[in-house]
């Protein structure tokens, strides 16, 4: 954790927050913050700044806080992800959140097991927890919007063309000739399931305005592919 | 697994291999390969091709094999990795192997916990297993060379300059101004521990010929950072 996210209801006055629960545990046992020491903090979906540990009792720490900077710029890429195995999804969500993606669309596809949609890892609470981990890693505060689309065809035919109105769209597709290069945001990037989108799905995605390209001979896991693809849009 | 790796001692004749053990379990229960069906195969550190399931008994499957293609090109990047937490290291090793890195140097640094070096995940067997998973994911056969350097200074002062003789070297360093862009291989890339290399370490690395650059305001986990950095060298 490189930044502690505080919630609006942590504020007990304009410049003072009270932290308890799991975050308190982290502050005391991992960060080992002492009285008068400062900590990078950010307001959920708001500015970033610092908090100075002002007082401590058994159940809470009080920080005097000042928030003056905006969070780091978002990455203007909409990521369409064929729903991965739930355990893998948890990790991916953290890493793509840390990379600054603010719109993630989880999509059903032929090679996605239907049971994945029942996973407790897709609950609002679990998703929120992973997003916060990603944000706290990257010193960001802006929670991404996660959209779930359990029907491939209606999403791709009706919604995707609207998303692509002012953005270029890319499909990572192993068996294809075009290369990727360094495209500029804003963009929409689609990553298929293990085994890839089936040809019919690629056809529909292309009809909606997406362009297929190859990542080379190596087949990557969804997790590695996501970081590798998003890297090409990152401003460094 | 997108390619099954066979070992020289699996061959029972010039064009026939016998598979047993965990790989047999995978073929039968995950891939569900039947008689006369074919499977992508590669020889450990050798060519890739296909195997056709010729016969099956309780304890082994016999495949008629043909190996005619070279494995995918290596990524000509030497990755210096401050030893991550062992559990994380296992996953990273798989993903950087899948990306084609063939020389990985695990380096001690001030912010690496000494106990990490005692982990069973650093045993030859565990490392080999993770590498094979990465190779089988990426349809590669060439096992990377893993070098362990438990002393920072002698490695950086004595060995690193030789490594850099015909390569550019890059240090991912959060608090630095230069940008990375799309450097070309061959290269040496160093990724610090959680919390980064300390200034003294950065100084020594720079003195040896490495160049610091920033990945932007976001602090990434080692795992995400590795994929994001290697992406810039991948030919797609």
């Amino acid at each position: 954790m490189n930044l502690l996210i505080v919630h609006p209801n942590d504020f007990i006055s304009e410049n003072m927050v009270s932290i308890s629960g799991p975050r308190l545990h982290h502050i005391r046992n991992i960060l080992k913050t002492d009285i008068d020491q400062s900590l990078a903090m950010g307001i959920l979906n708001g500015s970033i700044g610092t908090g100075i540990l002002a007082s401590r009792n058994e159940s809470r720490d009080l920080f005097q806080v000042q928030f003056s900077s905006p969070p780091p710029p978002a990455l203007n890429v909409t990521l369409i992800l064929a729903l991965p195995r739930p355990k893998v999804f948890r990790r991916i969500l953290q890493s793509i959140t840390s990379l600054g993606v603010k719109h993630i669309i989880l999509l059903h596809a032929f090679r996605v097991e239907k049971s994945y949609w029942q996973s407790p890892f897709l609950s609002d609470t679990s998703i929120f927890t992973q997003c916060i981990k990603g944000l706290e890693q990257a010193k960001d505060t802006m929670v991404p919007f996660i959209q779930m689309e359990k029907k491939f065809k209606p999403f791709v035919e009706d919604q995707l063309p609207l998303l692509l109105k002012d953005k270029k769209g890319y499909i990572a597709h192993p068996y294809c000739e075009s290369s990727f290069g360094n495209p500029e945001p804003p963009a929409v990037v689609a990553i298929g399931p293990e085994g890839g989108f089936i040809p019919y799905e690629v056809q529909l995605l292309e009809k909606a305005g997406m362009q297929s390209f190859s990542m080379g001979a190596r087949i990557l896991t969804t997790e590695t592919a996501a970081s590798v693809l998003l890297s090409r849009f990152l401003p460094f």
Side-chain angles (χ1 to χ4, degrees), chain A:
Chain A
M1 180 198 288
N2 297 302
L3 173 124
L4 185 89
I5 289 186
V6 301
H7 302 243
N9 58 6
D10 293 327
F11 282 83
I12 55 169
S13 73
E14 203 189 330
N15 299 310
M16 195 69 82
V17 298
S18 167
I19 306 289
S20 53
R23 286 173 300 163
L24 186 65
H25 180 86
H26 191 86
I27 289 167
R28 293 188 179 175
N29 298 294
I30 311 289
L31 304 176
K32 297 181 174 156
T33 310
D34 281 332
I35 294 284
D36 289 338
Q37 284 185 333
S38 81
L39 212 61
M41 288 189 171
I43 303 175
L44 186 68
N45 290 319
S47 314
I48 61 178
T50 51
I52 295 171
L53 182 53
S55 86
R56 163 168 283 174
N57 74 16
E58 218 170 273
S59 63
R60 57 103 188 103
D61 278 358
L62 291 187
F63 285 87
Q64 185 162 9
V65 291
Q66 196 175 22
F67 297 102
S68 46
S69 314
L75 185 63
N76 201 343
V77 172
T78 297
L79 189 64
I80 300 176
L81 203 58
L83 184 63
R85 265 189 302 132
K87 272 195 182 171
V88 174
F89 168 65
R90 280 176 83 197
R91 281 208 307 269
I92 295 183
L93 185 53
Q94 272 189 47
S95 78
I96 59 190
T97 301
S98 76
L99 291 168
V101 175
K102 298 302 174 199
H103 187 187
I104 300 160
I105 300 168
L106 299 174
L107 182 60
H108 190 64
F110 184 76
R111 293 203 177 108
V112 170
E113 280 190 30
K114 283 216 172 104
S115 64
Y116 291 175
W117 290 102
Q118 312 306 327
S119 165
F121 292 153
L122 290 191
S123 70
D124 287 352
T125 322
S126 172
I127 284 183
F128 184 75
T129 305
Q130 301 311 319
C131 288
I132 293 294
K133 284 187 186 169
L135 294 174
E136 290 185 330
Q137 168 69 39
K139 298 188 152 190
D140 193 358
T141 63
M142 306 301 288
V143 178
F145 169 55
I146 318 274
Q147 181 179 340
M148 306 216 193
E149 296 294 341
K150 296 186 191 176
K151 293 188 186 252
F152 184 88
K153 201 167 169 235
F155 168 76
V156 172
E157 287 187 335
D158 304 337
Q159 293 189 52
L160 186 55
L162 301 175
L163 264 178
L164 289 169
K165 250 179 91 175
D166 52 358
K167 292 180 178 125
K168 277 203 168 181
Y170 303 88
I171 317 163
H173 188 47
Y175 309 101
C176 149
E177 292 296 307
S178 332
S179 120
F180 194 54
N182 286 283
E184 298 266 310
V188 176
V189 175
I191 300 180
E194 271 185 67
F197 288 117
I198 59 173
Y200 171 72
E201 289 169 337
V202 174
Q203 264 174 36
L204 282 186
L205 288 164
E206 285 177 345
K207 207 174 146 198
M210 307 278 288
Q211 223 179 310
S212 294
F213 70 89
S214 161
M215 294 176 73
R218 298 175 178 278
I219 313 290
L220 305 175
T221 61
T222 308
E223 197 171 358
T224 304
S227 300
V228 163
L229 285 178
L230 291 172
S231 171
R232 301 297 177 96
F233 295 95
L234 291 171
F236 77 87

